[in-house]
Amino acid sequence: MSSSHFELANPPSDAVSALKFAPGSSTRLLVSSWDRHVYLYDALAGEGGTLIRKYEHRAPVLDICFGANEKEAYSAGLDWDVRKIDLDSGEQTVLSTHEAGVKSVVYSPETSTLISASWDSTLHIHHPSATPDEPATVPLPSKAFSLSVTATKLVVAMASRALHIYDLKSLSLLSSQTSQPPPNKLEIEPLQRRESALKFMTRAVACMPNDQGYASSSIEGRVAVEWFDPSATSQARKYAFKCHRQTAEGVDVIYPVNALAFHPVHGTFASGGGDGVVALWDGVAKRRIRQYQRYAASIAALAFSGDGKYLAVGISPGFEDGKEDPQEGIFKVWIRTLGDNEAKGKGAK
C-alpha cells in the first residue's frame, strides 16, 4: 500500500466506535472501541503511526472527542458515564452519569461546553472549566443517536426520525445559570424541531463547517442534505439521495450509511457504509466527487484532520454479510493522505 494510504499499527482488538483528530494541524488521533479502551495515536509518527497511550474504561466506549486542547479528551460509553481524560497523566474524572448508555459526546470550543447524549433520552450539558460543574439535564422526546456542533448550533438526531436544532450560546448560558438538585433539569425549547427527511432510522449526523446546514444518514442507504435557514426558499434546497448500494445477482443490496464527516476546508463530505466503501460528495452541487476502493469490512467511523490533509477510516465487521463471527484482525484504522484538490468540490453540472 502506498505511503499516502496506510494502516495504523496497534489497532483496537474489537469494533471501532469513533475517530477524532486533535484541533488544528495536529496529527494526534483518538480512537474509541468496544474493547473498553480509548487509544491515542500520532498518526504520522513513524511507519504505521505511533500508539502513544491506551486508556482503559469499565465498558465499551461509544464516542470520544478532544476538549479545549490536544491534552484533554472526553469519552462516553456503555458504563453510562461521561468522562474527562487527561491524556498526559491518564487520569480520568467522571463528569456525570446518565441512566443508560451514552451514545455521543461533543465539545464546543466557542462556548467551552461539553454535551453528551444518551439512550436515556436526555442531554447532559457540562461546563468542564467551572468549579464545581453541575451538569444540566435537558430532556429529549426520544433516544439520541448522534450529535454534531457548529460554532453556533447543536444538532441532535434521535429515534422516531426526530431532530432538534439548538442555539448553542443559549444552551450554554442557561445551563450555566440553572442550579437545582440533581438531575438539575433544564427545560429549553430548541430553535427548530424537525422530522428527518429520511424514512428509516438515522445512523449519523454531521454539520457543515460553514454553519449553514447538515447532512444525515440512515440505515437504508440514503443521505439527506439540509439547511438551517427555515425560510421556504432555503428549505426547498434540501434533498436526499441513494448511496452505498450494490447489485448482487440482480438484487439491489442496501447497506447502512454508518459515518459522515465534513471536510473542514472545502466543505465537501465523506460517507462510509456497510458495504466497506468511502465516498466523497459535493453536497451543494449534488455530485459525487470520488469513491475509494472497497475496504475489507464495514466502515464504522470517519474523521478529517483539522487542516483537511488526512482522512481517518475505521473499519469493523458490521455483520451485513450474515456472518456472526468476524475474521480475526479485521478491526483496523486506515489513514489516507489527501491531495490538495482531492476533496475539492466539482461545482454544479
Side-chain angles (χ1 to χ4, degrees):
M1 193 62 74
S2 70
S3 60
S4 64
H5 185 221
F6 62 90
E7 183 184 321
L8 271 187
N10 303 303
S13 60
D14 204 340
V16 173
S17 56
L19 306 166
K20 296 287 164 54
F21 275 101
S25 57
S26 173
T27 55
R28 280 192 163 202
L29 177 71
L30 285 171
V31 179
S32 58
S33 171
W34 281 75
D35 69 6
R36 299 184 303 162
H37 287 83
V38 168
Y39 295 74
L40 175 64
Y41 299 90
D42 186 328
L44 274 293
E47 190 173 338
T50 298
L51 175 61
I52 299 172
R53 191 164 184 164
K54 292 198 302 186
Y55 309 88
E56 187 174 4
H57 287 57
R58 295 186 304 152
V61 188
L62 300 184
D63 203 7
I64 188 76
C65 68
F66 280 94
N69 53 59
E70 63 176 35
K71 294 184 177 182
E72 68 178 39
Y74 300 97
S75 65
L78 290 182
D79 60 3
W80 303 6
D81 290 338
V82 179
R83 295 170 179 262
K84 180 178 181 178
I85 307 172
D86 183 316
L87 296 175
D88 285 345
S89 70
E91 181 184 359
Q92 297 184 32
T93 307
V94 175
L95 300 183
S96 72
T97 301
H98 283 266
E99 295 180 2
V102 191
K103 179 61 175 65
S104 298
V105 62
V106 292
Y107 181 80
S108 161
E110 289 81 7
T111 60
S112 302
T113 306
L114 178 77
I115 301 116
S116 58
S118 168
W119 292 328
D120 67 5
S121 303
T122 68
L123 300 175
H124 282 186
I125 316 299
H126 311 79
H127 300 271
S129 58
T131 308
D133 173 32
E134 282 293 334
T137 300
V138 177
L140 298 171
S142 301
K143 285 183 181 180
F145 289 155
S146 185
L147 291 179
S148 188
V149 288
T150 68
T152 66
K153 295 177 185 67
L154 169 73
V155 177
V156 186
M158 294 167 278
S160 306
R161 298 172 57 225
L163 190 138
H164 281 185
I165 301 167
Y166 292 91
D167 178 84
L168 203 49
K169 192 174 180 180
S170 297
L171 192 64
S172 178
L173 182 63
L174 290 172
S175 61
S176 68
Q177 292 173 345
T178 184
S179 181
Q180 302 176 51
N184 197 17
K185 194 172 180 181
L186 173 64
E187 296 281 358
I188 181 170
E189 188 67 20
L191 270 180
Q192 298 178 43
R193 296 174 185 263
R194 293 190 182 183
E195 183 176 83
S196 171
L198 305 170
K199 294 179 181 177
F200 291 84
M201 189 176 84
T202 302
R203 184 55 65 88
V205 66
C207 289
M208 299 175 186
N210 64 3
D211 204 4
Q212 296 297 303
Y214 60 92
S216 58
S217 66
S218 79
I219 60 171
E220 190 246 349
R222 289 179 193 263
V223 169
V225 179
E226 303 188 45
W227 280 262
F228 291 133
D229 181 355
S231 70
T233 304
S234 181
Q235 289 306 299
R237 296 171 64 197
K238 70 180 181 183
Y239 66 96
F241 61 93
K242 298 177 183 178
C243 53
H244 298 283
R245 298 167 179 231
Q246 295 182 7
T247 302
E249 299 176 358
V251 178
D252 191 18
V253 182
I254 302 169
Y255 294 90
V257 185
N258 298 321
L260 296 171
F262 273 91
H263 191 279
V265 178
H266 300 307
T268 53
F269 68 92
S271 65
D275 54 354
V277 169
V278 174
L280 294 182
W281 309 90
D282 184 333
V284 176
K286 303 183 182 180
R287 297 182 68 183
R288 188 175 74 188
I289 300 168
R290 56 178 36 86
Q291 182 170 296
Y292 295 110
Q293 188 173 347
R294 188 176 181 180
Y295 288 87
S298 176
I299 308 301
L302 295 169
F304 285 104
S305 60
D307 57 10
K309 292 181 178 179
Y310 305 100
L311 173 64
V313 180
I315 68 167
S316 303
F319 308 108
E320 288 88 357
D321 56 7
K323 298 175 184 175
E324 291 192 9
D325 296 319
Q327 294 172 257
E328 203 169 313
I330 207 74
F331 310 107
K332 298 181 186 297
V333 177
W334 290 86
I335 304 296
R336 179 177 291 277
T337 303
L338 301 175
D340 290 344
N341 296 316
E342 192 169 333
K344 194 171 184 179
K346 293 186 173 183
K349 291 183 180 178

